[in-house]
Amino acid sequence: MDKLVFSFNDVPVILIIFQSLLFAILLLIVKVGKRQANIFLAFFLLAIGLDALDAMIYWSPSIKHVYLSDHIHIFYCLKFSVYLAAPTLYFYVKSLLYADYVFSRKDVVHFIPLFLFPVMIAALYASLGEEGRELGITQFGLLYGNPVYQVHLWVRNILYVGYGVACLILLLRYKEELKQRYSNIEKIDMFWLMMLVGGFLMIWVWVFISYLITLFSSSMWLGNVIGISGNIFNAIFVNALVVYSMAHVTIGYVLQPVEDKTEVKEPESIDPGIMDKLNHIMLERELFLDPDLTLEQLAEITGISARKISSAINRTGKQNFFDYINNFRVKKAVDILTNSIAQNAGKGSAKLSMLDVMADAGFNSKSTFYRAFKKMTNMTPTEYQDQAARAAKPAP
């Protein structure tokens, strides 16, 4: 064959196709992590690969002339991939965040667009006619101007961006739920999920912008440039995702579960004595000095159920467990700094190391220490130390 089938612009798309396929197979074979999560991620990557194949066929005249002259149905039927990719990413994230999550019948509603895809194809075929189906492969104006195909394009972009945003909301909500149980959330690795969700959402928004530019303006070249660059970003991101996954054994890593959803509903009224007891025990035994203190550990020590402690902190203290414990740590850090300055006033002693202060107060994360300290005192630990040192300096 002396015809050039693939162009330079097809290279990143080809990488996406083969890497997505290989990684999907790997996820289905390996026995690492949660099986359900691996299956969702495998189908997501498989759908991404098929979507890339559909895009390559759509934009490559050579492929259509060489391979599709007698198989035009492939050109239309591969477009189902978006209806699979968007919801499977959502369920992958959900199955990782919640260890007790199991796919149920009610979750099938997310795949209704996928089940309706044959109806869309039938409507598209009917509106184009036999001659229009053949011409639509090469004449973009004919296909692009078809109202049924426009519905598909709108649904495609809305599904991608919508489910990407839904995944981000899941992550943010889960982070808030963690703060209800843990005083230290730095050890819970969410980088994998943030990279997965944030990267693909960025790409999908970028492609949506390309579609809008093409739809509402005459700048076809600008939309094409954005679309091509989106394919390049997609290839780079899928490649980075595969490399990162191969370098870490935490494929399908299951994060620590949040509180049991089967617990009894919290009471309408909260015993005010609970907060008094909590505050007394926290100050007397300085439990906050344990950097990994959890809600369950505090419940075991105090003899008060975790549900009641959480409700009291939320409704009476107007904060979550994470902030409640860190407030005690900040007060401890303030005491350490103040006492050190008072004891060494006028001696010209060197300043305390903030890392030492952080550790002595129960923090094990510098970023959390500085954020919590500034939130409570409206200044950083260093600024507080400097201000306290100036105030304690003897008058000349």
Side-chain angles (χ1 to χ4, degrees):
M1 182 181 295
D2 56 357
K3 294 182 179 179
L4 180 63
V5 177
F6 300 110
S7 67
F8 176 77
N9 292 333
D10 294 330
V11 174
V13 183
I14 294 173
L15 289 176
I16 297 171
I17 295 170
F18 282 99
Q19 287 184 327
S20 297
L21 176 62
L22 291 175
F23 191 38
I25 294 173
L26 176 63
L27 284 166
L28 293 174
I29 294 175
V30 297
K31 297 181 179 179
V32 179
K34 191 176 180 181
R35 181 64 176 170
Q36 179 179 243
N38 286 349
I39 291 174
F40 280 129
L41 183 56
F43 276 101
F44 168 71
L45 289 171
L46 180 62
I48 289 295
L50 291 175
D51 190 34
L53 176 60
D54 177 62
M56 185 171 68
I57 292 175
Y58 186 90
W59 293 108
S60 175
S62 299
I63 293 177
K64 284 181 284 192
H65 285 302
V66 174
Y67 295 110
L68 296 186
S69 57
D70 298 322
H71 303 87
I72 64 171
H73 301 297
I74 297 176
F75 178 83
Y76 296 100
C77 292
L78 278 178
K79 302 185 186 303
F80 80 93
S81 54
V82 59
Y83 303 106
L84 178 63
T88 49
L89 176 63
Y90 176 80
F91 287 116
Y92 169 69
V93 172
K94 195 170 185 178
S95 62
L96 279 189
L97 295 183
Y98 301 96
D100 60 344
Y101 169 72
V102 178
F103 187 81
S104 62
R105 290 181 180 179
K106 66 179 182 180
D107 293 325
V108 176
V109 69
H110 291 268
F111 293 97
I112 288 178
L114 177 63
F115 300 147
L116 292 178
F117 177 76
V119 178
M120 189 277 291
I121 287 293
L124 181 62
Y125 274 20
S127 61
L128 288 174
E130 184 176 352
E131 182 179 357
R133 289 197 296 270
E134 295 180 1
L135 293 176
I137 293 180
T138 55
Q139 296 183 15
F140 297 110
L142 177 64
L143 187 61
Y144 208 73
N146 184 277
V148 177
Y149 190 71
Q150 278 297 324
V151 169
H152 161 72
L153 292 177
W154 274 104
V155 172
R156 165 195 168 89
N157 287 289
I158 291 173
L159 280 178
Y160 268 146
V161 176
Y163 273 98
V165 172
C167 290
L168 282 183
I169 292 174
L170 270 180
L171 288 171
L172 295 175
R173 185 179 298 165
Y174 182 72
K175 190 173 183 179
E176 290 303 312
E177 291 176 352
L178 288 176
K179 290 182 178 181
Q180 298 289 358
R181 292 187 62 186
Y182 302 99
S183 63
N184 171 31
I185 62 175
E186 300 297 326
K187 295 196 303 182
I188 300 176
D189 184 17
M190 300 183 73
F191 174 75
W192 160 265
L193 284 178
M194 291 302 297
M195 183 179 74
L196 180 72
V197 173
F200 276 113
L201 178 58
M202 178 191 71
I203 293 169
W204 294 336
V205 170
W206 189 252
V207 173
F208 197 5
I209 292 174
S210 169
Y211 168 67
L212 293 177
I213 290 176
T214 305
L215 186 63
F216 296 110
S217 74
S218 57
S219 302
M220 293 293 293
W221 68 271
L222 183 58
N224 291 338
V225 168
I226 295 178
I228 293 172
S229 61
N231 290 333
I232 296 174
F233 291 151
N234 212 345
I236 294 173
F237 182 71
V238 170
N239 185 67
L241 188 62
V242 173
V243 171
Y244 180 85
S245 303
M246 295 299 98
H248 295 74
V249 296
T250 53
I251 299 176
Y253 178 58
V254 180
L255 301 179
Q256 300 180 38
V258 295
E259 67 180 284
D260 188 359
K261 298 177 183 179
T262 63
E263 284 188 340
V264 182
K265 186 178 180 181
E266 67 180 31
E268 293 298 325
S269 60
I270 299 297
D271 182 1
I274 292 180
M275 286 303 299
D276 293 336
K277 183 177 181 180
L278 288 176
N279 293 334
H280 175 74
I281 293 178
M282 292 297 297
L283 292 172
E284 182 182 44
R285 300 177 58 175
E286 293 190 324
L287 300 175
F288 54 85
L289 294 182
D290 178 1
D292 296 318
L293 181 68
T294 68
L295 178 65
E296 284 72 17
Q297 291 173 339
L298 183 58
E300 185 177 351
I301 293 171
T302 60
I304 306 172
S305 72
R307 177 176 55 83
K308 289 183 178 180
I309 292 177
S310 180
S311 297
I313 293 175
N314 293 163
R315 299 172 63 181
T316 305
K318 305 298 183 184
Q319 56 191 331
N320 54 47
F321 178 77
F322 179 81
D323 291 333
Y324 174 73
I325 299 301
N326 282 334
N327 283 346
F328 284 102
R329 292 170 177 166
V330 170
K331 291 176 183 177
K332 182 67 175 180
V334 168
D335 290 342
I336 293 172
L337 291 170
T338 302
N339 292 336
S340 174
I341 292 170
Q343 292 171 6
N344 297 284
K347 298 180 181 180
S349 300
K351 295 181 179 180
L352 286 175
S353 166
M354 286 303 154
L355 292 178
D356 291 336
V357 174
M358 177 191 79
D360 291 341
F363 288 97
N364 64 356
S365 167
K366 185 176 180 180
S367 60
T368 300
F369 172 51
Y370 272 77
R371 283 197 301 267
F373 198 100
K374 189 164 187 179
K375 181 179 179 180
M376 190 168 177
T377 65
N378 291 320
M379 61 182 75
T380 66
T382 304
E383 292 171 344
Y384 180 88
Q385 186 180 41
D386 293 339
Q387 186 182 82
R390 288 193 297 269
K393 188 176 181 180

